[in-house]
Amino acid sequence: MTDAEWAVVRDAMPVPSWLEGRGGQPEGYCHRQLVDAVRYLVAGGITWRAMPADFPAWDRVYAFFRRWRDKGLVTEFHDRLRGRFREAAGRDPEPTAGIIDAQSVKAAASVPAASRGFDGGKKVNGRKRHIVVDTLGLLLTVLVTAASVTDREAGGTLLERLRQRHWRITRVWADGGYTGRLVDLARDVLRIALTVVKRGDDATGFTVLPKRWLVERTLCATRRSVCIPGSAGRNSEGGSWAE
């Protein structure tokens, strides 16, 4: 990170308990080095043990990431940065609308068969990432399933999570895969107006659809095989990762 980037990140990071006098052991490494190491790991798709020597030892970086993941600090950090970005764009930090979509991705050979499936429509054997973004395309909620799980099946769980974390959401746009009872569930139980945006019958080729292009842009940005640290792989401490 540049100094300017670190200034923003440092202010958004959760304060460790030991700095607030609530006990705990001080970090042995600078947070800037640890965050840079995790970002390098994700960007390069490398294993933990392949951490370059100019970063802290791989097991210390992994322990830092695991502790933050398990305590929910990674999510809190992400949400704080999203709120600041929305404010800089002249928006309220808490969104009131979102767009939902899903994308099937091939799974590595190391991913267990129990957590993968075959998406007949996309002809993909792997997993499916279901996401909701705000109207700026910023991530709000994520759910990862086997690729065989339909959008309607996962949509109910995803919208429930969205309601729990973002209580001001009142409208969500979706494609034709989210029609049916999910629309009624969203309206009657979650108090969310699920609006399906469909392609016109006479549309041919690529067509930019209202609102839906925002979530498709976000999915396009993550189209390459981005790996999640600690996800299913040979092992979370030294093996490969794969979605």
Side-chain angles (χ1 to χ4, degrees), residues 5-21:
E5 289 172 337
W6 171 241
V8 175
V9 168
R10 180 181 55 199
D11 290 342
M13 292 181 73
V15 179
S17 59
W18 63 271
L19 278 179
E20 296 183 327

Side-chain angles (χ1 to χ4, degrees), residues 7 33 70 91 115 120 122 126 130 149 152 172 189 191 197 204 208 235:
Q33 290 180 307
D70 295 345
R91 307 292 184 91
S115 63
K122 301 294 177 60
H130 309 262
V149 176
R152 294 186 185 90
V172 173
V189 178
R191 298 294 186 267
V197 181
T204 58
V208 177
N235 65 72

Side-chain angles (χ1 to χ4, degrees), residues 138-218:
L138 304 176
L139 202 60
L140 298 178
T141 311
V142 179
L143 175 67
V144 178
T145 68
S148 54
V149 176
T150 67
D151 294 350
R152 294 186 185 90
E153 291 173 335
T157 301
L158 191 63
L159 291 178
E160 288 177 4
R161 291 186 181 183
L162 179 69
R163 168 56 72 202
Q164 292 171 0
R165 295 186 57 82
H166 303 282
W167 58 272
R168 293 188 60 190
I169 293 285
T170 58
R171 179 177 294 276
V172 173
W173 288 276
D175 63 22
Y178 296 90
T179 55
R181 290 185 298 175
L182 182 59
V183 176
D184 298 331
L185 171 69
R187 181 188 63 243
D188 299 336
V189 178
L190 303 177
R191 298 294 186 267
I192 295 176
L194 185 61
T195 303
V196 177
V197 181
K198 296 183 178 180
R199 286 169 55 94
D201 295 336
D202 56 347
T204 58
F206 175 75
T207 304
V208 177
L209 299 175
K211 302 300 181 182
R212 275 178 49 185
W213 70 272
L214 292 163
V215 68
E216 290 169 353
R217 179 183 62 183
T218 300

Side-chain angles (χ1 to χ4, degrees), residues 18-214:
W18 63 271
L19 278 179
E20 296 183 327
R22 293 185 283 111
Q25 184 176 356
E27 298 282 359
Y29 294 94
C30 170
H31 277 179
R32 180 173 181 173
Q33 290 180 307
L34 293 170
V35 172
D36 273 342
V38 173
R39 294 180 64 202
Y40 183 91
L41 194 80
V42 173
I46 63 173
T47 63
W48 290 104
R49 294 180 186 274
M51 184 70 64
D54 49 349
F55 287 119
W58 75 266
D59 56 339
R60 294 299 86 207
V61 179
Y62 175 70
F64 168 80
F65 168 78
R66 182 177 59 185
R67 183 167 60 253
W68 275 51
R69 178 198 62 195
D70 295 345
K71 292 181 179 296
L73 298 181
V74 174
T75 301
E76 180 182 342
F77 180 38
H78 171 270
D79 291 351
R80 287 184 182 184
L81 289 177
R82 184 189 57 236
R84 293 191 177 201
F85 187 92
R86 287 180 56 85
E87 286 184 316
R91 307 292 184 91
D92 191 281
E94 190 60 37
T96 58
I99 308 97
I100 186 173
D101 203 355
Q103 180 187 66
S104 295
V105 294
K106 293 181 179 179
S110 57
V111 175
S115 63
R116 69 162 76 202
F118 184 74
D119 182 345
K122 301 294 177 60
K123 308 301 182 185
V124 171
N125 184 351
R127 290 179 174 173
K128 184 181 290 187
R129 53 168 77 106
H130 309 262
I131 69 171
V132 180
V133 302
D134 66 6
T135 52
L136 295 177
L138 304 176
L139 202 60
L140 298 178
T141 311
V142 179
L143 175 67
V144 178
T145 68
S148 54
V149 176
T150 67
D151 294 350
R152 294 186 185 90
E153 291 173 335
T157 301
L158 191 63
L159 291 178
E160 288 177 4
R161 291 186 181 183
L162 179 69
R163 168 56 72 202
Q164 292 171 0
R165 295 186 57 82
H166 303 282
W167 58 272
R168 293 188 60 190
I169 293 285
T170 58
R171 179 177 294 276
V172 173
W173 288 276
D175 63 22
Y178 296 90
T179 55
R181 290 185 298 175
L182 182 59
V183 176
D184 298 331
L185 171 69
R187 181 188 63 243
D188 299 336
V189 178
L190 303 177
R191 298 294 186 267
I192 295 176
L194 185 61
T195 303
V196 177
V197 181
K198 296 183 178 180
R199 286 169 55 94
D201 295 336
D202 56 347
T204 58
F206 175 75
T207 304
V208 177
L209 299 175
K211 302 300 181 182
R212 275 178 49 185
W213 70 272
L214 292 163

